[in-house]
PDB file of all heavy atoms in Angstrom:
ATOM      1  N   TYR A 219     -17.766 -11.709  39.937  1.00  0.00           N
ATOM      2  CA  TYR A 219     -16.842 -10.583  39.817  1.00  0.00           C
ATOM      3  C   TYR A 219     -16.942  -9.973  38.423  1.00  0.00           C
ATOM      4  O   TYR A 219     -17.034 -10.682  37.427  1.00  0.00           O
ATOM      5  CB  TYR A 219     -15.416 -11.068  40.083  1.00  0.00           C
ATOM      6  CG  TYR A 219     -14.337 -10.040  39.830  1.00  0.00           C
ATOM      7  CD1 TYR A 219     -14.128  -8.984  40.710  1.00  0.00           C
ATOM      8  CD2 TYR A 219     -13.529 -10.127  38.699  1.00  0.00           C
ATOM      9  CE1 TYR A 219     -13.137  -8.052  40.484  1.00  0.00           C
ATOM     10  CE2 TYR A 219     -12.529  -9.205  38.456  1.00  0.00           C
ATOM     11  CZ  TYR A 219     -12.340  -8.159  39.356  1.00  0.00           C
ATOM     12  OH  TYR A 219     -11.360  -7.237  39.122  1.00  0.00           O
ATOM     13  N   LEU A 220     -16.933  -8.632  38.341  1.00  0.00           N
ATOM     14  CA  LEU A 220     -17.058  -7.929  37.066  1.00  0.00           C
ATOM     15  C   LEU A 220     -15.677  -7.722  36.453  1.00  0.00           C
ATOM     16  O   LEU A 220     -14.946  -6.820  36.852  1.00  0.00           O
ATOM     17  CB  LEU A 220     -17.766  -6.582  37.273  1.00  0.00           C
ATOM     18  CG  LEU A 220     -18.029  -5.752  36.012  1.00  0.00           C
ATOM     19  CD1 LEU A 220     -18.986  -6.485  35.089  1.00  0.00           C
ATOM     20  CD2 LEU A 220     -18.572  -4.376  36.382  1.00  0.00           C
ATOM     21  N   ASP A 221     -15.337  -8.579  35.485  1.00  0.00           N
ATOM     22  CA  ASP A 221     -14.081  -8.409  34.765  1.00  0.00           C
ATOM     23  C   ASP A 221     -14.279  -7.357  33.674  1.00  0.00           C
ATOM     24  O   ASP A 221     -15.182  -7.465  32.852  1.00  0.00           O
ATOM     25  CB  ASP A 221     -13.651  -9.728  34.131  1.00  0.00           C
ATOM     26  CG  ASP A 221     -12.457  -9.547  33.198  1.00  0.00           C
ATOM     27  OD1 ASP A 221     -11.339  -9.443  33.707  1.00  0.00           O
ATOM     28  OD2 ASP A 221     -12.680  -9.486  31.978  1.00  0.00           O
ATOM     29  N   VAL A 222     -13.429  -6.343  33.660  1.00  0.00           N
ATOM     30  CA  VAL A 222     -13.610  -5.211  32.748  1.00  0.00           C
ATOM     31  C   VAL A 222     -12.745  -5.387  31.504  1.00  0.00           C
ATOM     32  O   VAL A 222     -11.607  -4.928  31.438  1.00  0.00           O
ATOM     33  CB  VAL A 222     -13.279  -3.885  33.448  1.00  0.00           C
ATOM     34  CG1 VAL A 222     -13.609  -2.710  32.525  1.00  0.00           C
ATOM     35  CG2 VAL A 222     -14.044  -3.752  34.748  1.00  0.00           C
ATOM     36  N   GLY A 223     -13.279  -6.103  30.517  1.00  0.00           N
ATOM     37  CA  GLY A 223     -12.688  -6.074  29.180  1.00  0.00           C
ATOM     38  C   GLY A 223     -11.647  -7.095  28.803  1.00  0.00           C
ATOM     39  O   GLY A 223     -11.629  -7.549  27.661  1.00  0.00           O
ATOM     40  N   ILE A 224     -10.765  -7.508  29.726  1.00  0.00           N
ATOM     41  CA  ILE A 224      -9.606  -8.286  29.306  1.00  0.00           C
ATOM     42  C   ILE A 224      -9.990  -9.659  28.757  1.00  0.00           C
ATOM     43  O   ILE A 224      -9.422 -10.125  27.754  1.00  0.00           O
ATOM     44  CB  ILE A 224      -8.589  -8.436  30.470  1.00  0.00           C
ATOM     45  CG1 ILE A 224      -7.328  -9.182  29.997  1.00  0.00           C
ATOM     46  CG2 ILE A 224      -9.207  -9.155  31.648  1.00  0.00           C
ATOM     47  CD1 ILE A 224      -6.568  -8.461  28.928  1.00  0.00           C
ATOM     48  N   ILE A 225     -10.962 -10.322  29.363  1.00  0.00           N
ATOM     49  CA  ILE A 225     -11.376 -11.646  28.887  1.00  0.00           C
ATOM     50  C   ILE A 225     -12.010 -11.522  27.507  1.00  0.00           C
ATOM     51  O   ILE A 225     -11.744 -12.337  26.610  1.00  0.00           O
ATOM     52  CB  ILE A 225     -12.344 -12.309  29.889  1.00  0.00           C
ATOM     53  CG1 ILE A 225     -11.597 -12.662  31.175  1.00  0.00           C
ATOM     54  CG2 ILE A 225     -12.998 -13.554  29.284  1.00  0.00           C
ATOM     55  CD1 ILE A 225     -12.460 -13.303  32.237  1.00  0.00           C
ATOM     56  N   ASP A 226     -12.825 -10.490  27.314  1.00  0.00           N
ATOM     57  CA  ASP A 226     -13.440 -10.272  26.006  1.00  0.00           C
ATOM     58  C   ASP A 226     -12.377 -10.008  24.947  1.00  0.00           C
ATOM     59  O   ASP A 226     -12.459 -10.532  23.828  1.00  0.00           O
ATOM     60  CB  ASP A 226     -14.407  -9.089  26.086  1.00  0.00           C
ATOM     61  CG  ASP A 226     -15.047  -8.767  24.747  1.00  0.00           C
ATOM     62  OD1 ASP A 226     -15.932  -9.532  24.319  1.00  0.00           O
ATOM     63  OD2 ASP A 226     -14.660  -7.767  24.123  1.00  0.00           O
ATOM     64  N   THR A 227     -11.364  -9.212  25.295  1.00  0.00           N
ATOM     65  CA  THR A 227     -10.291  -8.904  24.340  1.00  0.00           C
ATOM     66  C   THR A 227      -9.526 -10.152  23.946  1.00  0.00           C
ATOM     67  O   THR A 227      -9.261 -10.394  22.755  1.00  0.00           O
ATOM     68  CB  THR A 227      -9.327  -7.875  24.947  1.00  0.00           C
ATOM     69  OG1 THR A 227     -10.026  -6.646  25.161  1.00  0.00           O
ATOM     70  CG2 THR A 227      -8.151  -7.621  24.021  1.00  0.00           C
ATOM     71  N   MET A 228      -9.145 -10.962  24.927  1.00  0.00           N
ATOM     72  CA  MET A 228      -8.374 -12.174  24.631  1.00  0.00           C
ATOM     73  C   MET A 228      -9.206 -13.171  23.827  1.00  0.00           C
ATOM     74  O   MET A 228      -8.690 -13.843  22.932  1.00  0.00           O
ATOM     75  CB  MET A 228      -7.888 -12.816  25.928  1.00  0.00           C
ATOM     76  CG  MET A 228      -6.906 -11.954  26.708  1.00  0.00           C
ATOM     77  SD  MET A 228      -5.519 -11.368  25.692  1.00  0.00           S
ATOM     78  CE  MET A 228      -4.760 -12.909  25.211  1.00  0.00           C
ATOM     79  N   LYS A 229     -10.508 -13.261  24.122  1.00  0.00           N
ATOM     80  CA  LYS A 229     -11.390 -14.141  23.354  1.00  0.00           C
ATOM     81  C   LYS A 229     -11.472 -13.669  21.904  1.00  0.00           C
ATOM     82  O   LYS A 229     -11.391 -14.472  20.968  1.00  0.00           O
ATOM     83  CB  LYS A 229     -12.777 -14.162  23.982  1.00  0.00           C
ATOM     84  CG  LYS A 229     -13.802 -15.004  23.239  1.00  0.00           C
ATOM     85  CD  LYS A 229     -15.214 -14.572  23.577  1.00  0.00           C
ATOM     86  CE  LYS A 229     -15.465 -13.163  23.070  1.00  0.00           C
ATOM     87  NZ  LYS A 229     -16.829 -12.665  23.356  1.00  0.00           N
ATOM     88  N   ASP A 230     -11.612 -12.348  21.714  1.00  0.00           N
ATOM     89  CA  ASP A 230     -11.691 -11.801  20.363  1.00  0.00           C
ATOM     90  C   ASP A 230     -10.415 -12.087  19.572  1.00  0.00           C
ATOM     91  O   ASP A 230     -10.471 -12.447  18.387  1.00  0.00           O
ATOM     92  CB  ASP A 230     -11.939 -10.291  20.414  1.00  0.00           C
ATOM     93  CG  ASP A 230     -13.326  -9.951  20.928  1.00  0.00           C
ATOM     94  OD1 ASP A 230     -14.180 -10.860  20.978  1.00  0.00           O
ATOM     95  OD2 ASP A 230     -13.557  -8.780  21.285  1.00  0.00           O
ATOM     96  N   LEU A 231      -9.266 -11.914  20.213  1.00  0.00           N
ATOM     97  CA  LEU A 231      -8.000 -12.166  19.521  1.00  0.00           C
ATOM     98  C   LEU A 231      -7.837 -13.653  19.206  1.00  0.00           C
ATOM     99  O   LEU A 231      -7.279 -14.017  18.161  1.00  0.00           O
ATOM    100  CB  LEU A 231      -6.820 -11.668  20.375  1.00  0.00           C
ATOM    101  CG  LEU A 231      -6.696 -10.147  20.510  1.00  0.00           C
ATOM    102  CD1 LEU A 231      -5.559  -9.787  21.454  1.00  0.00           C
ATOM    103  CD2 LEU A 231      -6.488  -9.498  19.146  1.00  0.00           C
TER     104      LEU A 231
END
Side-chain angles (χ1 to χ4, degrees):
Y219 173 74
L220 183 64
D221 171 79
V222 186
I224 184 63
I225 292 179
D226 178 74
T227 296
M228 295 308 298
K229 178 202 65 180
D230 291 345
L231 290 176

